[in-house]
């Protein structure tokens, strides 16, 4: 199986296809990719999504920013 990636959002909700919330765990596929769907909140503002690999080990993270209008 693949690696666990922890996705968290500052607002709105994330979905990995089976779980929805402000934090979800996704297992990478055979190509090493992991994805979630972000539903933006109804209020305007900046939303930050962070993806952290091997979160139990304090691994590398990447941050993505979206704007809800």
């Amino acid at each position: 199986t693949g690696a666990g990636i922890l996705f968290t959002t500052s607002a709105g909700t994330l979905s990995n296809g089976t779980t929805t919330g402000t934090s979800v765990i996704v297992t990478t596929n055979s190509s090493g990719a992991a994805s979630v769907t972000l539903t933006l909140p109804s209020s305007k503002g900046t939303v930050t999504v962070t993806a952290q690999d091997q979160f139990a080990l304090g691994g590398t993270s990447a941050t993505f920013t979206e704007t809800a209008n």
Side-chain angles (χ1 to χ4, degrees):
T1 61
I5 307 296
L6 173 65
F7 287 87
T8 58
T9 183
S10 62
T13 56
L14 298 169
S15 176
N16 64 7
T18 57
T19 303
T20 299
T22 56
S23 297
V24 296
I25 298 171
V26 178
T27 302
T28 58
N29 63 20
S30 60
S31 299
S35 65
V36 294
T37 300
L38 170 64
T39 301
L40 292 170
S42 56
S43 57
K44 294 182 179 183
T46 301
V47 178
T48 303
V49 175
T50 302
Q52 186 172 5
D53 73 326
Q54 302 297 316
F55 57 93
L57 303 174
T60 302
S61 65
T63 301
F64 308 90
T65 304
E66 296 289 338
T67 302
N69 291 318

